[in-house]
Amino acid sequence: MLTLADSPSPTTHEGQRPHAVVVGSGFGGLAAAVRLGARGYRVTVLERLEQPGGRARVHRQDGFTFDAGPTIVTAPFLFEELWALCGRRMVDDVTLAPMLPFYRIRFPDGATFDYSGDPAAMRAEVARFSPDDVAGYERFMARSAAICRVGFEELGHVAFSSVSDMLRIMPALLRLGGHRSVYDLVARYIRDERLRTIFSFHPLLIGGSPFRASAIYCLIAHLERRWGVHFAMGGTGRLVDGLVGLIEGQGGAVRCGAEVARIDTAAGRATGVTLTEGTRIPADIVVSNADSAHTYLTLLADAGRGWGRAKLKASHSSMGLFVWYFGTNRKFSDIAHHTILMGPRYRELIADIFVRKILAPDFSLYLHRPTATDPLLAPPGCDAFYVLAPVPNLAGGQDWSVLAEPYRQAIEANLDATVMPGLTGSIVTSRMTTPADFATDFLSFRGSGFGLEPVLTQSAWFRPHNASSAVRNLYLVGAGTHPGAGLPGVLSSAKVLDTVVPDARIHA
């Protein structure tokens, strides 16, 4: 029989595998379910929405398909591992198309930079902007590679369960510049301000300010170069469907429309969950892929310790996201798959979002055109887009029921006047997501897009632990725990479970 912690299993009977309940079906929850299934658990995934995927859900309307959340796949081997655990090949279910360039970055004066993983092409792009910075760029990439080896390859899937774990790696973090911000480290190597912007914006992809996020996140530049940037043909939702298929193939279940009201506990350990409609589901272990703040403040309202109300109130949440999804009745063939449109301000706009928490009249935008790679995501002759603007989270007090449409109109006017002339007369379908929707749909604390902000004092051991310090047999995965947001982060959080959750095959 499996024994977890110091108590007998409450649901396991002779000949029956121990039961694991996963709360939430984001990529962290789905990956956790696959890994637990491969280690001998019966797994039930509970999703409160009507489709799996969490932030990676799919919007389908008027013949268009829109990925609601993640659009960039990096470190694809983390997905491939999940298929391999089930004795299958990901390539048989999902096709990943490499992006070239990774991103096209455009400045207000019209200058563009094609960001790719080709070292020679990147040196040439840097030289176009500032020949004197080529050598500094090379040194920065060498530093990025060193940080990636430690911060991602060595520590990305390691549990930080005690302060001694943090103390052990602190010298290496300091040696690699982890006490600096991403922007500060980039600025040590590169002088041109536009190039500093290009090589420091990456923390925004995981909810952080380039001027506050630890320089450890400079690892992203090397991570992208080494493993590439990819797009899942058919949309990111194909990855969600593939993972659900793996779980069901293991004998597990994914239940949508099943909202968890609380995580049940007894004698300091998790014993299952109770749904909002009253059904109790017993479990040997519970894995929460819910927002970490929601886990501790709501699902564990009577039992939560550690990351309690006071600590969460004092924490820094990531920024909010305004996302406008739209389809057009014509092609905009000059738009790359991934375009980043820099606004007239960089440092000042970031401060408005993260520090002052005001909604500025200007913005920087990420424009996604998936039909550049997969035309089947829109009707013939049409294009599908989403455009994302970083905005303050709900701590800024903005009323999005009033602000959303004027803000969308301002973005539309900006795109029409710059890179998409004729846009206004071409739109045939449209929808929006605001920080208020993140709070309502994903129960995201402060409506943040990525959970806790990735600053040094909220990284590794300083984040809510993968093995809960408040309740035994409770584990956390997803953006709100170690190692953090982004697809590599949430997939790695599930990989951490391999080291902190007992293997049912061994202990049974």
Side-chain angles (χ1 to χ4, degrees), residues 107-328:
F107 290 90
D109 64 359
T112 61
F113 185 105
D114 278 0
Y115 192 113
S116 73
D118 182 327
M122 286 294 284
R123 284 193 296 271
E125 287 291 273
V126 170
R128 281 200 308 111
F129 275 65
S130 174
D132 293 342
D133 276 319
V134 173
Y137 159 73
E138 295 280 21
R139 291 195 298 272
F140 167 72
M141 290 304 298
R143 173 60 69 92
S144 176
I147 295 172
C148 190
R149 281 193 295 273
V150 175
F152 178 68
E153 296 180 58
E154 295 181 15
L155 301 176
H157 58 277
V158 174
F160 283 82
S161 301
S162 67
V163 69
S164 61
D165 295 330
M166 191 70 185
L167 293 174
R168 176 175 51 82
I169 62 118
M170 189 61 75
L173 293 180
L174 295 176
R175 184 172 64 253
L176 292 170
H179 58 293
R180 301 178 184 275
S181 73
V182 166
Y183 181 88
D184 286 345
L185 189 63
V186 170
R188 293 188 67 191
Y189 296 97
I190 295 171
R191 293 185 178 182
D192 183 86
E193 197 57 45
R194 292 179 301 175
L195 291 176
R196 287 177 173 180
T197 300
I198 289 167
F199 293 106
S200 69
F201 80 86
H202 284 96
L204 291 164
L205 301 179
I206 56 172
S209 160
F211 300 95
R212 294 177 8 165
S214 167
I216 292 301
Y217 296 99
C218 285
L219 66 84
I220 298 174
H222 178 74
L223 183 148
E224 290 181 333
R225 172 184 281 190
R226 179 169 178 182
W227 287 290
V229 171
H230 307 267
F231 176 73
M233 297 298 287
T236 310
R238 291 295 296 273
L239 287 165
V240 173
D241 294 341
L243 293 175
V244 170
L246 294 181
I247 295 164
E248 293 175 343
Q250 294 173 317
V254 178
R255 291 178 53 186
C256 294
E259 182 172 358
V260 174
R262 69 173 181 269
I263 295 171
D264 299 319
T265 63
R269 73 169 190 191
T271 59
V273 301
T274 296
L275 304 184
T276 53
E277 40 85 353
T279 301
R280 184 178 185 277
I281 303 176
D284 297 278
I285 67 169
V286 175
V287 177
S288 181
N289 183 217
D291 184 271
S292 56
H294 180 72
T295 299
Y296 280 116
L297 296 184
T298 302
L299 302 183
L300 282 172
D302 298 328
R305 296 189 302 275
W307 278 90
R309 294 183 182 277
K311 195 166 186 179
L312 282 163
K313 187 176 181 180
S315 68
H316 297 284
S317 297
S318 63
M319 80 282 200
L321 301 175
F322 177 90
V323 191
W324 174 35
Y325 311 88
F326 61 97
T328 61

Side-chain angles (χ1 to χ4, degrees), residues 43 61 126 302 364 401:
V43 183
Q61 64 183 48
V126 170
D302 298 328
S364 290
S401 67

Side-chain angles (χ1 to χ4, degrees), residues 485-500:
L487 290 186
V490 299
L491 295 176
S492 293
S493 74
K495 192 171 183 177
V496 172
L497 298 190
D498 289 350
T499 64
V500 296

